[in-house]
């Protein structure tokens, strides 16, 4: 085994020194350092040296889970998302789960609430047929917890029941957590604090980069746990960079605040090497008094040879999906899911009810049979200009028509309407064969539309065998004539023209391409208002959304691009009205510390996606921003257009 270890990269050899000393460890490495490669080396060597030991590896997304499973396929390895791992280890303790949720709901300091007015009795969940469940949505009164609650509940259980830690340690001798910086603090607390209450031995390893912490619920760093003592986490730093050209590395190093200074790996096979030399690359800071990104693209295309038609090589990174919706052509769908004015009014009423309770103000009485319109009139909510919000809705024919759909329905029914853009644009793929795997937040209408478009794409791209397996018509094929009918049906469906989403759904049903199943029927029954809005949108707009989410457009959000790499990257420095980010503060090193760090991290992630060329666009910066950008990018790389 000694000889095998000597073949491992130096940082992994240091990790095994930690393992030999029974020390929990952290591998810190910047973008492009090959952290996943190190993780895979560690897993393989651990299994080789401990052939009977079980190993758990957790990461942040289902896509990352699949990547690791493809690199290491072994019966002793369990790869999952962090939340799937936690649920798998607590789901059978239903009695303790129920009491934990009740205790947490009765503790006003936690974020779990079943009933804000009264204490929850100990037998509240006794009649649940399916017990406590973990799903993509929250219905706590029915015993259904979601992503956020799972972390809190799991932390409570591991803290209260040390035996739970013993059970997990018995199951897994090694637990590795990838992208640790995105892990909730409550989860890290389980492994580095609550696990200590069990005398059983096991070892925890973390892999990640504090500078790539871009989610607010992530721990960010392990500084409070690092040290030289036996019960602390031993840090191993990986300073190499295999992806970025020299200019991008130098720019990225200006952003790092954790002591890691990256250098090219020197490996001639690394992506950032060419003819034995490190690629120099290009970095540009483009600014203009006009907010015309098309002019920026024209400049990059004409003067630097960028091709924005090639989505695999060139990407434009925006902070939010809303900033992309118009460019990519799915604005109507985005507005339905993210900016519905009537649902916005309903939400404002619910916030007012909550605020009145919190501030002990007189409650506005809502009768059991009150209509939505009656409740709206009782609250008389106004905007910042002191105009009634209801009047604003009724002044516009479009929003007045939407209001008319809900005005006479019971408020008790309308208050349950919940719209979120995650149901539209979430891009995680869901494994329908494994109900325990939590993946996509897409609703069943959008999933059905994806099935239709997948059929169209498979046929149009000549993947006929895959198409035959995917289409619902496959069960009808018994002779050659049936295949000819299917060919005519799919070719007819492809030409959607100006057909609406509902027309295409019905057409796909009639032609047997994609049948309306129970999930869609149930969705239509329970989400009538949403379905009535979406069904009128042209299917061609959904096709543009499909292309965007499948990575077939040059657009991506800055968060979504993490973990990817492209030859050319254009970063749009526009916060889209999101006050959590401030790009001016980034260049001036000023403002609120949390906003500055959050902006710094997302900018670092964007810059380090680059394999060759980086350009950033800043609309109308002040002179001091330009001065500081000149220091970062170099005087010859500041372009005004």
């Amino acid at each position: 085994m000694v000889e095998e270890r000597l073949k491992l990269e130096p940082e992994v050899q240091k990790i095994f020194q930690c393992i030999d000393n029974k020390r929990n460890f952290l591998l810190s490495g910047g973008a492009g350092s090959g952290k996943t490669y190190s993780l895979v080396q560690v897993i393989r060597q651990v299994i080789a040296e401990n052939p009977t030991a079980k190993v758990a590896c957790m990461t942040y997304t289902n896509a990352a889970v699949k990547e690791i499973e493809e690199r290491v396929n072994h019966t002793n390895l369990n790869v999952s998302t962090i939340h799937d791992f936690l649920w798998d280890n607590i789901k059978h303790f239903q009695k303790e789960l129920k009491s934990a949720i009740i205790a947490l709901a009765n503790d006003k300091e936690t974020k779990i609430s079943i009933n804000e007015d009264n204490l929850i009795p100990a037998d509240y969940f006794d009649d649940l047929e399916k017990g406590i469940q973990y799903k993509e949505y929250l219905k706590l009164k029915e015993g259904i917890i979601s992503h956020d609650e799972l972390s809190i509940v799991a932390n409570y259980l591991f803290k209260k029941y040390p035996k739970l830690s013993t059970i997990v340690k018995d199951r897994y001798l090694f637990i590795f957590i990838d992208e640790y910086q995105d892990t909730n603090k409550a989860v890290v607390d389980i492994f580095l604090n609550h696990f200590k209450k069990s005398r059983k031995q096991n070892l925890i390893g973390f892999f990640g980069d504090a500078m790539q912490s871009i989610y607010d619920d992530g721990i960010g760093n392990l500084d409070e746990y690092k040290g030289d003592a036996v019960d602390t986490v031993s840090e191993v730093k990986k300073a190499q960079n295999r992806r970025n050209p020299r200019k991008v590395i130098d720019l990225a190093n200006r952003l790092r605040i954790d002591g890691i200074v990256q250098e090219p790996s020197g490996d001639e096979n690394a992506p950032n090497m060419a003819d034995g030399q490190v690629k120099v690359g290009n970095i540009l800071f483009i600014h203009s008094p006009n907010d015309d990104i098309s002019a920026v693209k024209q400049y990059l295309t004409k003067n630097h040879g960028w091709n924005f038609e090639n989505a695999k090589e060139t990407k434009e990174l925006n902070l939010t999906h809303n900033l992309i919706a118009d460019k990519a052509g799915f604005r109507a769908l985005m507005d339905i899911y993210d900016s519905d004015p009537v649902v916005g009014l309903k939400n404002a009423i619910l916030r007012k009810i909550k605020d009145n309770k919190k501030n002990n103000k007189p409650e506005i009485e809502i009768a059991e049979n009150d209509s939505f319109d009656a409740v709206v009139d009782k609250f008389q909510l106004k905007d910042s200009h002191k105009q009634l919000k209801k009047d604003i809705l009724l002044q516009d024919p479009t929003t007045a028509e939407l209001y008319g759909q809900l005005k006479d329905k019971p408020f008790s029914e309308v208050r349950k309407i919940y719209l979120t853009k995650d149901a539209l644009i979430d891009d995680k793929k869901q494994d329908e064969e494994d109900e325990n795997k939590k993946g996509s937040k897409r609703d069943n209408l959008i999933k059905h539309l994806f099935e239709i478009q997948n059929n169209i794409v498979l046929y149009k791209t000549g993947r006929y065998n895959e198409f035959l397996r995917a289409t619902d018509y496959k069960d009808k094929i018994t002779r050659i004539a049936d295949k000819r009918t299917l060919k005519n049906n799919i070719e007819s469906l492809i030409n959607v023209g100006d057909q609406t989403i509902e027309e295409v759904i019905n057409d796909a049903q009639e032609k047997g391409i994609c049948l309306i199943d129970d999930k869609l029927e149930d969705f239509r029954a329970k989400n009538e208002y949403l379905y009535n809005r979406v069904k009128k949108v042209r299917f061609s707009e959904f096709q543009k959304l499909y292309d965007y989410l499948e990575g077939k457009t040059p657009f991506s959000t800055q968060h979504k691009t993490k973990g990817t790499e492209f030859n050319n990257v254009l970063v749009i420095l526009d916060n889209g009205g999101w006050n959590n980010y401030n790009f001016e503060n980034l260049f001036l090193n000023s403002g609120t510390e949390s906003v500055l760090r959050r902006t710094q991290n997302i900018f670092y992630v964007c810059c380090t996606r680059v394999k060759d060329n980086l350009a950033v666009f800043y609309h109308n910066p002040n002179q001091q921003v330009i001065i500081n950008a000149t220091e970062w990018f170099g005087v010859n790389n500041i372009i005004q257009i």
Side-chain angles (χ1 to χ4, degrees), residues 27 94 203 266 284:
L27 177 71
Q94 283 291 321
L203 194 135
L284 298 173

Side-chain angles (χ1 to χ4, degrees), residues 428-572:
K428 297 175 187 174
K429 310 301 188 293
Q430 181 147 3
D431 184 355
E432 298 288 354
E433 297 178 358
D434 190 347
E435 289 298 323
N436 291 325
K437 299 289 184 183
K438 297 297 173 290
S440 177
K441 294 180 181 178
R442 292 174 186 161
D443 65 36
N444 284 328
L445 171 56
I446 299 301
K447 286 180 180 178
H448 189 82
L449 298 180
F450 260 84
E451 288 179 20
I452 294 174
Q453 184 60 16
N454 277 332
N455 274 283
I456 292 173
V457 169
L458 289 173
Y459 184 82
K460 285 180 68 175
T461 55
R463 294 147 67 185
Y464 301 123
N465 288 333
E466 290 179 66
F467 166 67
L468 286 171
R469 289 194 295 270
T471 179
D472 289 332
Y473 196 86
K474 58 181 176 291
D475 296 331
K476 296 182 180 181
I477 299 175
T478 58
R479 52 202 178 103
I480 297 297
D482 295 328
K483 288 189 175 182
R484 282 197 293 267
T485 301
L486 174 60
K487 179 177 183 294
N488 293 333
N489 286 352
I490 185 63
E491 288 180 351
S492 172
L493 182 65
I494 285 172
N495 301 313
V496 297
D498 289 336
Q499 287 188 90
T500 65
I501 282 174
E502 184 175 52
E503 288 171 339
V504 172
I505 288 175
N506 292 336
D507 200 17
Q509 164 78 12
E510 291 169 9
K511 291 181 168 62
I513 302 296
C514 188
L515 301 178
I516 296 173
D517 59 9
D518 290 345
K519 290 180 180 180
L520 183 58
E521 291 282 18
D522 184 61
F523 179 88
R524 290 199 291 202
K526 293 180 178 178
N527 302 275
E528 181 185 11
Y529 176 73
L530 174 58
Y531 183 79
N532 286 341
R533 290 209 65 191
V534 174
K535 73 179 185 181
K536 298 176 184 177
V537 177
R538 291 179 180 179
F539 188 79
S540 58
E541 174 161 326
F542 170 76
Q543 290 178 316
K544 292 176 180 176
L545 172 71
Y546 176 96
D547 286 345
Y548 167 64
L549 294 177
E550 292 295 305
K552 298 177 182 179
T553 74
F555 309 108
S556 174
T557 62
Q558 294 170 6
H559 288 78
K560 179 185 171 185
T561 197
K562 182 178 171 184
T564 59
E565 57 186 30
F566 305 97
N567 290 1
N568 312 305
V569 173
L570 169 62
V571 185
I572 309 300

Side-chain angles (χ1 to χ4, degrees), residues 179-183 207-210 212-213 215 218-221 562:
E179 301 289 356
Y180 81 88
Q181 71 277 357
D182 296 326
T183 306
F207 297 76
D209 180 11
Q212 295 188 67
S213 172
Y215 300 105
I219 191 168
N221 62 65
K562 182 178 171 184

